Amino acid sequence: MTTRQHASQKRKPQTKPVQKEPRSKLVDGLEYEAARKCQKVAISLERKLLARVDRYADHHGLTRSGLLSISVSMFIDELLVRRQERNGNEDRGSHYGVRD
């Protein structure tokens, strides 16, 4: 006697993950490379700020994640530039895992 599998128990065909090439994105005249591998994170933002993020991202053809990634990258880059100016280019920011 055979038992029927429920639709949710059927084996799905194994597929290889698609390795996408990084894409460059031009944002306000600045070019940023899209990340190859992403890690999901959960953050909390004020509703008004999230609405601003969504409006800006939509208007500029970005995803919410893309805009937040670019924003954080730009923020860290700016902090590193300011630190380098203060310290006479001594600190390269290598311990932050970011480019200088």
Side-chain angles (χ1 to χ4, degrees):
M1 176 195 250
T2 61
T3 59
R4 296 181 75 192
Q5 285 184 326
H6 187 271
S8 64
Q9 294 175 333
K10 289 185 180 178
R11 293 188 126 207
K12 295 180 182 175
Q14 293 285 332
T15 59
K16 290 184 179 180
V18 177
Q19 185 75 19
K20 293 183 179 179
E21 288 299 314
R23 296 174 294 156
S24 293
K25 189 75 176 177
L26 197 62
V27 178
D28 289 338
L30 301 172
E31 189 173 358
Y32 284 86
E33 190 174 287
R36 286 180 189 231
K37 294 182 181 179
C38 295
Q39 176 73 41
K40 287 190 180 238
V41 296
I43 62 170
S44 299
L45 297 174
E46 292 178 5
R47 287 182 182 177
K48 287 182 180 181
L49 177 58
L50 185 58
R52 287 179 63 198
V53 167
D54 289 340
R55 278 194 308 271
Y56 188 91
D58 186 52
H59 182 75
H60 292 278
L62 298 166
T63 62
R64 179 190 289 169
S65 293
L67 176 59
L68 292 174
S69 295
I70 290 168
S71 299
V72 170
S73 178
M74 290 175 69
F75 180 78
I76 292 172
D77 289 350
E78 180 62 25
L79 290 178
L80 291 175
V81 166
R82 289 180 185 193
R83 177 175 282 164
Q84 288 172 1
E85 289 171 354
R86 260 195 333 266
N87 297 337
N89 263 352
E90 295 170 10
D91 184 6
R92 294 302 227 184
S94 60
H95 58 284
Y96 293 110
V98 294
R99 60 178 163 63
D100 56 332

